[in-house]
């Protein structure tokens, strides 16, 4: 079974990510790999390219201490033989993307300690979530914790939306909690002049019925008939998709979104919905790609 890998840097956000990852590793019966990256400055070679300086013994010792401390924090959650640590000499984004190739799940804090340290996160977390080879969960320190709340997922009929739904279903099963599936049919702004703004309209009953039918088709195509012992709720909402998901996070244990990536180059950026949910949600957020396998992988 592939491990769950969590990137840490000693910040409060990475501690929150560490504890969340340990809980998920316990539920999945997986090994937890705690990774710390040492990113040394790049030196410029005259008339040549750049080069990364080798880490000093002090940096290596500091990284080792961070990892030992992190492992100690989760020994009450997992057996010692299911906790591994890795000290990696590589830039943070590259280290995490490489880690995602061998993980069933990658877990990161929303931001790290900053450029002065080996800061794993901040803008790094967004860049990694956009390109990771496995689902990525972003955790923020001080977030609301509703471990018994439903897993909430946004769907839109796309490949990434379907992958997000499958991942959310697996997480809900692991947590023995409910699944809430949200389909938002936001009406695009019209080109009416300001003096006719009163004509810019409310969604019709027909719009809602079409949305409900579309949501039913998506669920049937992707999940079939859910188990009778799982509470599955579906909801259509005539608002912006990101707003619909963020509004649900007061009681959710996890929010799941598709990355909406569009190929190797544009895939460096997350879609606008997933970015807004990452920036505004108060619970952990999972970002899933259409090309990634989800669930428990061997």
């Amino acid at each position: 079974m592939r491990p769950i890998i969590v990137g840490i840097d000693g910040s409060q956000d990475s501690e929150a990510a560490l504890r969340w990852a340990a809980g998920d590793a316990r539920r999945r019966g997986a090994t937890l790999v705690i990774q710390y990256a040492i990113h040394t400055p790049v030196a410029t070679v005259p008339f040549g390219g750049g080069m990364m300086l080798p880490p000093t013994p002090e940096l290596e010792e500091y990284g080792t201490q961070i990892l030992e401390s992190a492992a100690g924090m989760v020994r009450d959650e997992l057996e010692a033989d299911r906790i591994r640590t890795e000290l990696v000499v590589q830039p943070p984004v590259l280290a995490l993307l490489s880690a995602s190739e061998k993980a069933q799940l990658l877990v990161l804090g929303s931001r790290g300690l900053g450029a002065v340290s080996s800061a794993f996160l901040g803008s790094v977390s967004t860049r990694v979530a956009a390109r990771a080879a496995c689902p990525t969960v972003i955790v923020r320190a001080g977030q609301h914790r509703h471990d018994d709340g439903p897993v909430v997922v946004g769907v839109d009929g796309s490949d990434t939306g379907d992958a997000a739904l499958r991942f959310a279903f697996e997480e809900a099963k692991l947590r023995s909690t409910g699944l809430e599936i949200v389909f938002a049919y936001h009406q695009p702004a019209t080109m009416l002049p300001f003096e006719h703004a009163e004509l810019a309209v409310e969604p019709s009953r027909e719009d809602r019925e079409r949305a409900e039918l579309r949501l039913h088709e998506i669920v049937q195509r992707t999940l079939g008939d859910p188990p009778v012992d799982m509470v599955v709720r579906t909801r259509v909402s005539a608002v912006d998709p990101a707003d619909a998901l963020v509004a649900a996070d007061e009681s959710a244990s996890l929010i799941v979104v598709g990355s909406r990536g569009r190929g190797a180059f544009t895939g460096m950026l997350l879609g606008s919905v997933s970015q807004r949910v990452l920036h505004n949600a108060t619970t952990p957020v999972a970002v899933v790609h259409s090309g990634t396998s989800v669930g428990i992988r061997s």
Side-chain angles (χ1 to χ4, degrees), residues 241-285:
D243 292 342
L245 291 170
V246 171
D249 77 352
E250 291 186 2
S251 60
S253 58
L254 178 69
I255 295 177
V256 184
V257 295
S259 65
R260 311 294 295 281
R262 295 184 299 277
F265 180 74
T266 55
M268 292 181 68
L269 298 175
L270 290 174
S272 61
V273 171
S274 50
Q275 284 201 52
R276 289 170 56 203
V277 173
L278 280 173
H279 289 137
N280 295 295
T282 58
T283 54
V285 177

Side-chain angles (χ1 to χ4, degrees), residues 43-93:
T44 301
V45 179
F47 308 110
M51 62 176 290
M52 190 170 69
L53 297 175
T56 64
E58 291 79 12
L59 270 179
E60 288 189 342
E61 182 180 357
Y62 177 73
T64 300
Q65 289 174 353
I66 290 286
L67 287 170
E68 289 175 353
S69 177
M73 288 179 182
V74 294
R75 286 205 178 99
D76 57 344
E77 189 81 42
L78 291 170
E79 299 89 348
D81 62 356
R82 286 174 52 199
I83 302 171
R84 298 206 319 260
T85 60
E86 289 184 354
L87 186 65
V88 183
V89 181
Q90 204 172 22
V93 172

Side-chain angles (χ1 to χ4, degrees), residues 93-243:
V93 172
L94 293 180
L96 292 165
L97 291 177
S98 177
S100 75
E101 296 283 349
K102 60 185 179 182
Q104 60 172 289
L105 189 67
L106 186 63
V107 185
L108 313 173
S110 66
R111 62 178 60 86
L113 292 173
V116 179
S117 71
S118 69
F120 247 103
L121 308 172
S123 65
V124 171
S125 60
T126 304
R127 291 162 63 193
V128 170
R131 298 169 56 196
C134 67
T136 304
V137 177
I138 308 297
V139 183
R140 181 180 298 120
Q143 285 182 319
H144 297 303
R145 291 294 300 271
H146 305 287
D147 292 338
D148 57 349
V151 174
V152 177
V153 57
V155 299
D156 62 1
S158 67
D159 289 344
T160 53
D162 291 354
L165 177 53
R166 288 190 291 270
F167 176 83
F169 175 69
E170 292 295 332
E171 273 291 321
K173 280 202 304 184
L174 286 167
R175 294 164 178 272
S176 300
T177 189
L179 176 65
E180 182 174 338
I181 308 168
V182 180
F183 182 91
Y185 59 109
H186 182 55
Q187 300 296 302
T190 69
M191 298 301 290
L192 293 171
F194 289 114
E195 60 266 27
H196 298 299
E198 72 278 0
L199 300 178
V201 190
E202 291 290 325
S204 67
R205 178 179 175 181
E206 290 75 17
D207 290 330
R208 184 174 185 86
E209 289 174 348
R210 279 195 295 270
E212 289 173 343
L213 178 60
R214 181 66 175 137
L215 176 55
H216 177 73
E217 291 171 347
I218 292 168
V219 174
Q220 284 296 308
R221 180 188 71 226
T222 308
L223 300 182
D225 295 319
V228 293
D229 58 347
M230 179 185 290
V231 176
V232 178
R233 294 189 175 91
T234 58
R235 176 164 60 89
V236 297
S237 183
V239 299
D240 179 86
D243 292 342

